[in-house]
Amino acid sequence: MKIWGFVFVILFLSSTCFAQRRLYTKTGSITFFSKTTVENIQASNNKVFSIWDIASSRIEFSALMKGFEFEKALMQEHFNENYIESDKYPKATFTGVIENGNDIALGIDKSYNLKVTGALTMHGVTKQISTLATIKVNKGVVSASTNFSVLLSDYNIKVPSLVTDNINKKIDISVNIPAFIAQK
């Protein structure tokens, strides 16, 4: 009977450790903001997928471009058809590494400010980016957030001269993951 108890404990511990190797979410959000003297443009996508491999500190994000919602339907139409060309480039992705990710203790309530570096692909163009992210552990819930900016020209996103004053060439992006879930 002791052997079965030992086997049970080993199986339980190994399944618990395995479950904690990856965290994911399907409900992350990305918001972007363009501020000009003529008009502010903001859109949010609340169906962002992310997976974080804790052992390797690798993190990935994926967002469907048609998932961005705008205040005005015409802005959303122009975004998808004229600027980001969502039918041709349906999603944006990020694949990177959380530097010093092994320093994160998932069992201890704490906030970490760590550098995240990787490749952002959007509109068919991949660029290396680096940003600071805040990862919080609070009562067993792991969340993450970051803010950074991109230049439209870096991703070959062209703005027609007729509306060039309406769209900032530098777009502010906010990423928020309110809760990662352990992958089983």
Side-chain angles (χ1 to χ4, degrees):
M1 196 61 161
K2 284 184 179 181
I3 290 178
W4 285 113
F6 178 74
V7 169
F8 177 78
V9 169
I10 295 298
L11 287 173
F12 175 77
L13 288 176
S14 66
S15 68
T16 302
C17 291
F18 179 76
Q20 294 298 316
R21 292 190 61 181
R22 288 191 177 168
L23 300 177
Y24 78 97
T25 187
K26 294 179 183 176
T27 58
S29 68
I30 295 177
T31 301
F32 70 80
F33 184 73
S34 164
K35 181 178 182 164
T36 66
T37 55
V38 177
E39 180 175 42
N40 292 337
I41 300 170
Q42 182 172 331
S44 295
N45 183 334
N46 297 315
K47 297 178 184 170
V48 175
F49 178 78
S50 179
I51 190 161
W52 171 19
D53 185 297
I54 295 167
S56 67
S57 297
R58 300 216 26 96
I59 191 159
E60 296 182 16
F61 288 86
S62 179
L64 292 175
M65 300 312 289
K66 286 188 177 180
F68 283 95
E69 296 178 2
F70 292 73
E71 181 181 319
K72 299 176 185 174
L74 188 58
M75 284 182 178
Q76 190 161 333
E77 182 181 326
H78 287 185
F79 171 80
N80 285 304
E81 292 178 9
N82 303 331
Y83 303 114
I84 207 71
E85 301 173 276
S86 297
D87 288 335
K88 188 174 180 181
Y89 309 107
K91 65 182 175 177
T93 61
F94 174 82
T95 302
V97 175
I98 301 170
E99 294 182 18
N100 300 317
N102 294 329
D103 293 347
I104 300 170
L106 296 177
I108 299 172
D109 288 358
K110 188 174 177 181
S111 181
Y112 302 86
N113 292 314
L114 300 170
K115 189 174 181 181
V116 178
T117 303
L120 176 62
T121 301
M122 182 172 48
H123 199 246
V125 177
T126 301
K127 293 281 185 181
Q128 291 296 311
I129 66 165
S130 186
T131 185
L132 286 179
T134 300
I135 298 172
K136 293 181 183 176
V137 180
N138 185 16
K139 298 180 183 171
V141 176
V142 180
S143 62
S145 62
T146 189
N147 298 298
F148 60 95
S149 298
V150 297
L151 296 173
L152 295 177
S153 59
D154 284 349
Y155 294 91
N156 293 333
I157 300 170
K158 296 178 178 32
V159 178
S161 58
L162 184 63
V163 292
T164 194
D165 293 337
N166 295 29
I167 300 172
N168 196 323
K169 309 308 176 261
K170 182 176 155 186
I171 305 298
D172 297 324
I173 299 174
S174 298
V175 180
N176 185 36
I177 307 297
F180 277 104
I181 301 167
Q183 186 178 30
K184 295 181 182 181

